Amino acid sequence: MTLRDRPIGVFDSGVGGLTVLRELRRQLPGEHTIYLGDEARMPYGPRPADEVVGFTREAVRWFTGQECKLVILACNTATAVALEIVRESALVPVIGVVRPGAAAALSASATRAVGVLATEGTVRSASYGRALRDLDPLVRVREVACPALVPLVEAGEMRSAAALTAVRGYVGPLIGDASDAVDTLLLGCTHYPLLREVIERVAGPGVRVVDSATTTALAVREVLASHRLLREGAGDSRHRVFATGPRERFRSVARTIFGEDLPEVEEAILG
Ligand code: DGL
């Protein structure tokens, strides 16, 4: 297989990264893809950093065995905590979602005040603050850990009263007339785009809500194009989906969330 024809690997702790895969397939329809969700060990958000680094390293090694030409860490927690470390030893190029997400937030924000909603691990790493300030040293950033949101999405409760209450609790303090209010909310977790409707409702029309899927796919396109590794065309691309742990659970959560048929979910063993 030529390098160009090799698949792009997309990694997440579970099903949420399918939001990134969906955008990647939309923007780069000629590419073969392999998705891996580490469903057996999800959630990553509350885990200590060294554990997330170990799991991410295993995943990147697994993608190398699948002969991927590039790996995307679609998981914000894995990107925030492990991207720099796994890159040092990876045999394939690895792209994360934090920098593309930061770029999306800055192009949306008029006041240069950005709120980041993310898992505990991502907030603890302060990676979004760093990425945003790298791109604009004057930006004001408020990062909020939202531990209740992933379990709500996993339970398929995207439109429930509980989701509305939780989102109000996290978003409320960031918006309004206060001098430190933000005008842009960055969804810094794979699952939060699935709560976009309720987040937008709580945030109101004056606040932009952005995620990293579009800019991540753009970043992948740029890297592949600059190395002449882009696979053009459409129609014959192949897509495989792997999960660790009980595939039935992965499949049913994916179906609840996306309401569309996935390719047959295959078993992956990491370690
Ligand atoms: N994929 C994780 C992220 O984007 C959310 C789910 C988890 O905590 O594992 O941060």
Side-chain angles (χ1 to χ4, degrees), residues 19-105:
T19 52
V20 176
L21 178 69
R22 189 164 52 188
E23 182 60 23
L24 187 77
R25 285 180 55 176
R26 200 184 63 79
Q27 286 195 35
L28 303 176
E31 298 291 347
H32 303 308
T33 65
I34 297 187
Y35 183 90
L36 171 64
D38 191 9
E39 189 66 17
R41 301 187 290 197
M42 112 114 220
Y44 280 15
R47 289 182 185 275
D50 57 346
E51 209 167 42
V52 174
V53 170
F55 294 170
T56 308
R57 201 176 263 139
E58 285 172 17
V60 171
R61 218 179 291 135
W62 183 87
F63 281 115
T64 311
Q66 301 289 326
E67 304 201 310
C68 288
K69 62 180 171 184
L70 177 138
V71 173
I72 305 170
L73 301 185
C75 178
N76 290 257
T77 309
T79 302
V81 174
L83 175 65
E84 297 305 327
I85 301 171
V86 299
R87 260 183 183 158
E88 282 169 21
S89 55
L91 301 174
V92 279
V94 186
I95 284 189
V97 285
V98 168
R99 205 183 161 83

Side-chain angles (χ1 to χ4, degrees), residues 11-17 35 38 41-47 74-80 97 118-122 128 150-151 154 187-192:
F11 175 62
D12 184 37
S13 56
V15 292
Y35 183 90
D38 191 9
R41 301 187 290 197
M42 112 114 220
Y44 280 15
R47 289 182 185 275
C75 178
N76 290 257
T77 309
T79 302
V97 285
T119 65
E120 301 102 299
T122 300
Y128 269 109
V150 166
E154 290 278 318
L187 307 182
C189 172
T190 46
H191 286 56
Y192 302 172

Side-chain angles (χ1 to χ4, degrees), residues 104-115 132 136-142 174-185 206-208:
L106 284 176
S107 48
S109 174
T111 62
R112 296 286 157 163
V114 175
L132 283 157
D136 177 354
L138 296 182
V139 68
R140 283 175 296 131
V141 186
R142 292 173 67 190
L174 296 175
I175 56 174
D177 297 329
S179 60
D180 61 351
V182 305
D183 78 336
T184 299
L185 284 174
V207 176
R208 302 278 302 274

Side-chain angles (χ1 to χ4, degrees), residues 207-250:
V207 176
R208 302 278 302 274
V209 178
V210 299
D211 66 55
S212 53
T214 310
T215 39
T216 299
L218 272 169
V220 170
R221 168 186 281 285
E222 255 173 47
V223 173
L224 292 179
S226 68
H227 290 274
R228 298 183 197 286
L229 288 177
L230 210 51
R231 191 170 184 275
E232 305 284 358
D236 67 340
S237 54
R238 287 185 304 277
H239 306 286
R240 297 179 75 185
V241 175
F242 289 82
T244 59
R247 279 169 291 156
E248 202 34 63
R249 181 182 131 79
F250 181 95

